Amino acid sequence: MVPHMLILDRPVPRTGLPTTTARGATDDFLHHAAQVRAPARPEYADAVLLVVTELVTNALRHTDGPAALHLELHDDHIEIRVTDTSPKPAERRLPQTNGSGGYGWHLIDRLTNHTHTEPTPAGGKTICAHAPW
């Protein structure tokens, strides 16, 4: 399957458009991948959508530049890669009940088989997550 890439611009403050766009593109990708691989969406499609939402939200909330989403189907997993402009590694925080977050990395860890971070040549980072197909 040909990898799918989507470039996300910085959001207008307090809008969900970049994450909505990322979720829509991911849903389209999953639908197309299912047509190639099997007649139905993967069992973990909703988990993949949640992981994409969390990674894109974090990239746009905690960096100064645009983010890129790259999805690729492998034999037994979907590789989700989100690249941003910050070299600072993602931080796991204690979840907060006051609405300030802290749940994202815990969700990503539970919904994926493997995650790692790679530096980019431009000085940013790419967070890679492998979700089961």
Side-chain angles (χ1 to χ4, degrees), residues 89-106:
E91 295 179 16
R92 284 168 176 73
R93 299 183 297 140
L94 287 175
Q96 302 296 314
T97 57
N98 64 3
S100 64
Y103 291 93
W105 266 111
H106 299 282

Side-chain angles (χ1 to χ4, degrees), residues 15-118:
T15 66
L17 292 177
T19 53
T20 301
T21 301
R23 284 179 64 88
T26 301
D27 196 46
D28 290 346
F29 173 83
L30 293 171
H31 177 73
H32 179 70
Q35 298 303 316
V36 171
R37 183 68 62 86
R41 284 172 40 130
E43 179 181 347
Y44 297 103
D46 291 335
V48 171
L49 290 169
L50 184 55
V51 169
V52 166
T53 300
E54 289 297 329
L55 289 174
V56 169
T57 297
N58 286 346
L60 295 174
R61 179 179 290 165
H62 300 293
T63 69
D64 294 329
L69 169 64
H70 178 99
L71 303 169
E72 189 170 349
L73 179 62
H74 294 273
D75 289 335
D76 63 347
H77 70 277
I78 298 168
E79 184 176 18
I80 304 162
R81 299 171 64 91
V82 176
T83 302
D84 63 48
T85 58
S86 173
K88 184 178 176 187
E91 295 179 16
R92 284 168 176 73
R93 299 183 297 140
L94 287 175
Q96 302 296 314
T97 57
N98 64 3
S100 64
Y103 291 93
W105 266 111
H106 299 282
L107 288 170
I108 292 166
D109 284 341
R110 296 279 300 203
L111 298 174
T112 61
N113 296 332
H114 171 73
T115 60
H116 69 278
T117 303
E118 301 171 353

